[in-house]
Amino acid sequence: MVLATAVVVAGVATVVTVVQPEPTPPSRGCSFRNELPRPQGIQHRMKLQLGDRGSVTGITVGKRPIRMLPKAGGFTVRLAGGGRNVLSNPDFELDRDRDRIPDGWLFAPGLGRRELTDVAAHSGRRSMMVSIPAEGTSAAFSTTVRVDPQTHYVVSGWFRSMNVQPTIPPAVREPWHRKSPVRLEVVQVSNGRPLVASAHGYTDTAEWNRQFVGFKTGPDVRQVRVRGLIQQGSGTAWFDDLSVRKLFGEGTVPVGGKLERSEGVVTQHGEVEQGSLSLDATFRQHPDHVRVEGTVGTSSRRDVGLQVTYTLPINALGWQWADDARRTRVIARADTRRTRVIQEGYRSLSSSSLQRTSTYPFGAVFDRDSAVAFGVPLHKPRIFRIEYVQGEGLRLTFDLGLSRKAGPGPRADFSFVIFTADPAWGFRAVTQRYYELFPRSFVRRTDPGCEGAWFVAPPLEDIERSYRDFGLGLNMVALGKASSQSYSTWGTRYVRWDDHRGIYTSAYGHHWAFYLPIGTSESPTPSYDQATARLRAAAHGSPRDAAGARLRDEARAALHSTARDFNGRRYYERYRNFLAHYQILTPRPGAALDWSTAVRRHQVERALRTAATTGGRLDGLHLDSTSGMRRWGEADDYDRRHWGEATVPLTFSYDSGLVTLRGVLALHEHIDDMADYAHSKRMILSANFNADVWRTAGFIGADNIDYFGIEQGLQARANGGSADPFAMWKRTLAYQRPISTLDARVGKGALSLAALERQLQQNLFYGIFAGAWDPKVEAEGTGTGTKWTDDRFAETWARYTPLFKELARAGWEPVTHARTSDPAVWVERFGSPSRRLLMFTIRNETTSRRPYRLTIDLQALRRGPVRGASARERVTDAVLSVSIDRGGARGVVSDVVPPGATRVVALDLTG
């Protein structure tokens, strides 16, 4: 949350008198556009052949029939939840030898007490009690369970607690966060390394509650140990009715069914599970792709979690799989011990979850002659995975949930495209074709002449003369409320200042959590009952001013809209001197106030009203943390009222095996709503788009964002590895829309001039603007001691700002039509001859000087012969020679790039 510290400063800074600078330059403004990706035209044709019961009988790309596996392919389903409990004596009722140790369980020595008790039980007569008077780790009870390797399991149990400390709020916790000390652990040893998954009971005093955790066994694991204890805590806890179950049913079930064909459209209707599950799909054949729209439904009165998989049984042995535009792998033959799976590096929403999503919304396999790809539309977000499975084929799987309590009823829809692209450019060509298949998800609404780096209320007195040197393009201010829930406003003086300089002004907002004040940062964390009482008191308060009215309204909205766990408790976490409640932003029809309405009123509309008082124009709305949804996006919401209000389909939890509403999917619903609102007023939507490449579903919302922001620098976001996968991911999701980093290290003056230049060159390679701020001094621009505005920094920035802006004007293109002679020297393309601006960025990430030859397919770029060309390297302003072959089809540029450096080759062609 980028403004947390700044707002505290702003609370002080607002009393400082600041002289409004007179805008002397003429007003430029920034235009609002609707530029769609330029179609390249159909280059490669594809046809899908379906059998009478939905099997995939063939795929033809161009005139080539693709070699198929002896598999039916098509749709299959697999049910989640409801497996058999493999845990013996899970309710502790059996004690045949009457030794007060339940049959099949062991007691380990340790602190405190651990005993079988008749005092409390969730069911039957007995439960297991663990107690420890002072903070420490208690004695444990445990048992061993036989399991299958490489299999998902769900562990659950009923917990009761009394005076358990420390207090831990019911939130999604990262592994490094402190969790409730009441633990039901599953321990496995895989490849000699112990792995632990834990379900956690409530702290303080709580009646019986059910908790869950999922785990997946390693390839060499055939047994796990289940144990209960209090770890690094104190108090008393009871455990009862434990279970260990497989997450999924045995095997997958082909859907089959009946097909009807009519003029390029095929419809399929199939039923499984004795007719209680149905699947309907429509296939529309186009020259180079097939669009598939599907719906799965149930007649059961029970909730149903399931996977829907579509498989193309392609024999792709020896083909390539691309993880991204720069990294590919050859699909090799599997060994005899296990099936080889090639997947698109998918990861979980949070590091504590086992549910995975693909990194990109598309995936493909290709060889020299053909490419076959799946694509999932960004505007219909789902939990999905794309992978190639040896012996099965190219596979797309959706995790869906069905319930009569869902808004759409007991059904869920899904959508995907099967398509082809130029195999010579593999992942890059697939990317380009994906843009063309879903052009509305990549509309460019910003004016390239106004695009630039992202800053936060920069100190005007320091940059009045040098703002052009820094390339200021997006100025984020707070005209509503900020992340710490301060009702103060700062940034009003920038609205007219930005207007007169062609700079986008975007009003900050954080829409995903309600922050309930609890005193100071040193105040103790209240128990759940105490927190609930405070929330209700705030909701029923009598406000004396606008800030009080905002607190009352949001508390009322949070009572309804906060996501809830299986037991009905609201999710929240401690954030400094607040409790941050996770909000589900689904509109509540007919309701006086829900969270979506509250943020619209107190953040968005207030920002517009405040901007209007300045006599200037607000250009955009800014959403913090749209893809940093590690916790509120990962939360499994079991509140069925929210299910009925949501328009997105449900999914299921890999921790409980039960149907849930996933916060990240509802998050997209609100981003979509905010984008429609902003665009209707000819404003843009800017956003923090921080998700690390190893935290996926980071593409959620990318179809609606017009200006992408990344807190920190690219290398800082790489977590010690190469920044390239992260930067290419962001560049691919944004396409030609502007992206900017916002680096506090630069803002605080922590980098030398040489380090700053290296960072600017790294950003330059990807066409990602470089912004800076000092969060301690820049709220309202009235702080002192800003270091990044130093003249030396301005001079360094000034050399690169024109290049950043030229690259933005040219626009990034995924297909380079150029290759370097050295694989360690990377190349990206911006622009094209048709736009009269063609530039190649060259990057050397190694520690040694690298000579290279850049071979350019001039004919593909110009679609005709080239008579002459000239080139200039723009960073050093050196003239480069260009050699063109006799037919004018190819050109070669040679140069040297220093270690850790970027060069920009501008090419001018004559025909």
Side-chain angles (χ1 to χ4, degrees):
M1 299 177 195
V2 68
L3 294 183
T5 304
V7 174
V8 175
V9 178
V12 176
T14 50
V15 301
V16 178
T17 302
V18 180
V19 178
Q20 173 82 16
E22 288 299 322
T24 51
S27 177
R28 288 175 52 204
C30 296
S31 63
F32 181 85
R33 296 147 45 105
N34 274 290
E35 182 180 309
L36 292 166
R38 295 178 175 86
Q40 304 295 311
I42 304 300
Q43 297 178 334
H44 301 267
R45 295 183 175 271
M46 187 198 77
K47 186 174 182 180
L48 178 70
Q49 290 100 38
L50 300 176
D52 290 339
R53 294 188 57 79
S55 61
V56 179
T57 57
I59 300 174
T60 304
V61 177
K63 295 181 179 180
R64 177 195 185 190
I66 302 300
R67 191 158 56 116
M68 308 297 282
L69 295 163
K71 298 283 185 176
F75 283 111
T76 57
V77 298
R78 182 165 69 154
L79 296 181
R84 180 178 63 89
N85 189 359
V86 298
L87 192 62
S88 298
N89 198 11
D91 53 6
F92 311 111
E93 296 295 318
L94 298 179
D95 181 18
R96 295 185 182 92
D97 57 8
R98 300 184 181 181
D99 62 353
R100 305 302 293 174
I101 300 177
D103 293 352
W105 293 85
L106 300 174
F107 283 0
L111 300 175
R113 297 164 55 203
R114 165 255 308 112
E115 63 188 46
L116 187 65
T117 178
D118 300 326
V119 174
H122 174 256
S123 69
R125 296 182 298 109
R126 294 170 173 168
S127 67
M128 189 65 67
M129 186 270 286
V130 174
S131 182
I132 184 169
E135 183 168 333
T137 297
S138 75
F141 61 92
S142 66
T143 189
T144 299
V145 184
R146 292 187 61 81
V147 293
D148 294 333
Q150 289 191 296
T151 302
H152 282 280
Y153 285 86
V154 169
V155 176
S156 73
W158 287 87
F159 299 73
R160 186 182 177 192
S161 54
M162 183 172 67
N163 300 327
V164 173
Q165 291 294 308
T167 297
I168 304 294
V172 175
R173 313 293 294 172
E174 299 288 8
W176 53 88
H177 292 161
R178 189 165 189 179
K179 304 171 185 65
S180 166
V182 181
R183 301 166 66 100
L184 179 64
E185 295 184 340
V186 182
V187 184
Q188 61 173 305
V189 179
S190 181
N191 294 322
R193 187 164 62 102
L195 302 173
V196 181
S198 301
H200 298 271
Y202 295 141
T203 57
D204 303 295
T205 297
E207 288 302 315
W208 288 105
N209 56 93
R210 193 181 183 193
Q211 305 295 342
F212 310 88
V213 70
F215 70 97
K216 185 179 182 181
T217 53
D220 56 343
V221 174
R222 297 193 177 275
Q223 69 177 26
V224 297
R225 178 164 291 277
V226 178
R227 67 179 183 179
L229 73 162
I230 293 177
Q231 186 176 79
Q232 295 182 332
S234 63
T236 302
W238 291 264
F239 302 76
D240 202 1
D241 293 333
L242 312 184
S243 72
V244 177
R245 305 173 189 271
K246 288 184 178 180
L247 173 60
F248 297 108
E250 298 295 337
T252 59
V253 181
V255 173
K258 181 181 179 182
L259 269 65
E260 295 184 359
R261 307 169 192 269
S262 175
E263 298 180 359
V265 178
V266 177
T267 59
Q268 178 180 358
H269 174 80
E271 296 180 352
V272 295
E273 291 295 304
Q274 292 78 48
S276 65
L277 271 180
S278 63
L279 185 145
D280 292 277
T282 301
F283 299 78
R284 288 182 170 84
Q285 178 74 59
H286 298 268
D288 71 338
H289 69 278
V290 178
R291 290 190 183 267
V292 184
E293 303 287 338
T295 302
V296 61
T298 182
S299 59
S300 173
R301 304 195 68 82
R302 297 182 298 106
D303 297 342
V304 179
L306 76 164
Q307 290 183 329
V308 175
T309 297
Y310 194 80
T311 302
L312 299 173
I314 298 170
N315 186 347
L317 186 65
W319 291 33
Q320 292 185 73
W321 171 275
D323 291 320
D324 58 30
R326 205 142 5 246
R327 279 154 282 274
T328 61
R329 289 179 279 164
V330 175
I331 300 173
R333 187 178 300 280
D335 61 36
T336 58
R337 293 172 297 171
R338 63 186 180 92
T339 301
R340 182 174 172 83
V341 179
I342 305 293
Q343 56 209 19
E344 190 202 336
Y346 53 69
R347 297 290 187 267
S348 60
L349 292 171
S350 82
S351 51
S352 61
S353 172
L354 292 174
Q355 191 171 37
R356 314 294 195 185
T357 59
S358 284
T359 306
Y360 285 89
F362 49 83
V365 292
F366 53 92
D367 66 359
R368 285 195 333 178
D369 302 310
S370 306
V372 180
F374 277 127
V376 177
L378 287 170
H379 66 278
K380 291 186 177 181
R382 303 291 183 268
I383 305 296
F384 71 91
R385 290 166 301 282
I386 302 171
E387 59 195 356
Y388 184 83
V389 182
Q390 187 70 278
E392 299 290 333
L394 186 62
R395 192 164 71 179
L396 167 62
T397 298
F398 295 94
D399 290 347
L400 301 171
L402 309 176
S403 174
R404 292 184 177 276
K405 297 296 184 180
R411 62 187 62 87
D413 65 343
F414 56 89
S415 177
F416 61 92
V417 176
I418 307 165
F419 63 104
T420 188
D422 184 355
W425 292 101
F427 187 90
R428 292 180 179 273
V430 168
T431 301
Q432 179 64 49
R433 193 67 191 121
Y434 182 85
Y435 296 153
E436 295 166 1
L437 291 169
F438 301 105
R440 299 304 307 177
S441 294
F442 299 94
V443 176
R444 189 178 187 180
R445 295 182 175 87
T446 50
D447 182 346
C450 293
E451 293 170 4
W454 175 24
F455 293 85
V456 179
L460 297 184
E461 290 75 12
D462 293 344
I463 66 166
E464 178 64 48
R465 295 187 304 275
S466 60
Y467 69 90
R468 289 189 179 88
D469 294 339
F470 290 106
L472 179 59
L474 178 69
N475 188 4
M476 188 178 73
V477 298
L479 305 182
K481 71 179 183 60
S483 63
S484 71
Q485 306 302 283
S486 166
Y487 205 65
S488 61
T489 294
W490 53 266
T492 52
R493 67 178 185 151
Y494 291 95
V495 180
R496 292 182 65 208
W497 191 88
D498 291 340
D499 281 351
H500 283 261
R501 290 160 181 80
I503 297 166
Y504 287 106
T505 312
S506 192
Y508 174 86
H510 192 291
H511 292 189
W512 321 119
F514 166 60
Y515 291 78
L516 178 69
I518 57 170
T520 67
S521 57
E522 289 77 31
S523 299
T525 301
S527 68
Y528 183 81
D529 290 341
Q530 292 169 336
T532 300
R534 292 190 184 194
L535 180 62
R536 293 189 183 279
H540 295 95
S542 299
R544 298 180 179 179
D545 53 20
R550 184 269 307 169
L551 180 63
R552 177 203 60 196
D553 288 353
E554 291 192 339
R556 287 179 178 177
L559 282 174
H560 171 81
S561 297
T562 304
R564 294 177 184 257
D565 68 10
F566 175 82
N567 305 290
R569 286 202 173 192
R570 297 179 182 87
Y571 291 107
Y572 62 86
E573 63 183 68
R574 178 73 183 258
Y575 180 76
R576 301 184 180 178
N577 53 325
F578 300 95
L579 297 180
H581 292 69
Y582 304 166
Q583 298 303 300
I584 297 294
L585 287 100
T586 53
R588 198 177 164 200
L593 190 65
D594 61 6
W595 187 254
S596 183
T597 305
V599 295
R600 175 79 68 90
R601 178 183 302 174
H602 291 287
Q603 297 191 46
V604 176
E605 293 175 357
R606 182 169 183 254
L608 292 173
R609 290 196 305 271
T610 303
T613 65
T614 68
R617 170 179 167 76
L618 185 63
D619 300 296
L621 302 174
H622 187 94
L623 297 179
D624 196 355
S625 301
T626 56
S627 69
M629 77 300 282
R630 296 183 296 275
R631 295 181 299 283
W632 51 84
E634 173 59 20
D636 288 322
D637 186 10
Y638 292 93
D639 191 326
R640 291 173 178 254
R641 294 173 301 170
H642 298 160
W643 296 7
E645 295 161 6
T647 60
V648 294
L650 304 176
T651 183
F652 62 89
S653 169
Y654 276 52
D655 282 327
S656 69
L658 302 176
V659 170
T660 65
L661 172 63
R662 183 56 46 77
V664 69
L665 298 180
L667 180 146
H668 179 273
E669 194 172 19
H670 183 72
I671 297 174
D672 195 42
D673 182 55
M674 285 295 97
D676 287 346
Y677 181 86
H679 297 159
S680 70
K681 297 180 178 295
R682 299 186 67 76
M683 298 166 63
I684 64 169
L685 187 70
S686 61
N688 293 42
F689 207 67
N690 294 332
D692 304 308
V693 73
W694 50 279
R695 295 190 196 273
T696 55
F699 47 74
I700 296 290
D703 54 317
N704 289 304
I705 297 171
D706 302 306
Y707 219 118
F708 293 77
I710 302 170
E711 289 181 62
Q712 304 179 26
L714 297 178
Q715 194 58 54
R717 282 288 174 186
N719 295 299
S722 170
D724 188 57
F726 173 81
M728 287 302 297
W729 186 39
K730 299 300 182 182
R731 182 75 274 170
T732 302
L733 291 172
Y735 187 30
Q736 295 184 348
R737 293 168 290 181
I739 317 174
S740 177
T741 54
L742 182 69
D743 198 332
R745 292 185 311 153
V746 176
K748 295 174 182 178
L751 299 184
S752 66
L753 284 176
L756 170 65
E757 186 157 12
R758 286 195 297 271
Q759 191 156 306
L760 288 171
Q761 287 202 13
Q762 186 178 53
N763 281 46
L764 187 67
F765 176 67
Y766 305 100
I768 295 176
F769 292 106
W773 80 311
D774 187 336
K776 291 186 176 180
V777 301
E778 288 182 27
E780 189 61 59
T782 56
T784 58
T786 301
K787 297 178 180 178
W788 62 266
T789 56
D790 184 277
D791 286 345
R792 297 172 305 146
F793 283 84
E795 290 171 5
T796 302
W797 240 294
R799 287 190 284 117
Y800 290 96
T801 290
L803 296 181
F804 278 110
K805 287 188 171 288
E806 275 192 89
L807 293 177
R809 185 163 60 89
W812 177 76
E813 296 290 356
V815 178
T816 59
H817 289 302
R819 303 183 194 273
T820 65
S821 55
D822 184 348
V825 178
W826 302 336
V827 59
E828 296 296 331
R829 173 169 71 98
F830 295 78
S832 65
S834 63
R835 279 173 261 169
R836 299 183 179 276
L837 188 58
L838 178 60
M839 306 174 81
F840 297 93
T841 56
I842 311 296
R843 180 74 182 162
N844 174 14
E845 285 273 347
T846 74
T847 57
S848 61
R849 179 175 176 271
R850 294 274 183 171
Y852 70 91
R853 294 187 312 279
L854 180 69
T855 302
I856 307 162
D857 188 343
L858 300 175
Q859 191 169 17
L861 285 169
R862 191 178 175 86
R863 303 195 185 282
V866 174
R867 293 199 307 270
S870 60
R872 182 178 293 272
E873 200 291 298
R874 298 295 307 284
V875 174
T876 60
D877 201 32
V879 176
L880 304 179
S881 62
V882 184
S883 60
I884 300 176
D885 65 10
R886 185 169 299 177
R890 295 185 181 278
V892 177
V893 177
S894 299
D895 198 9
V896 176
V897 58
T902 294
R903 293 294 181 255
V904 180
V905 177
L907 199 64
D908 185 25
L909 305 178
T910 57

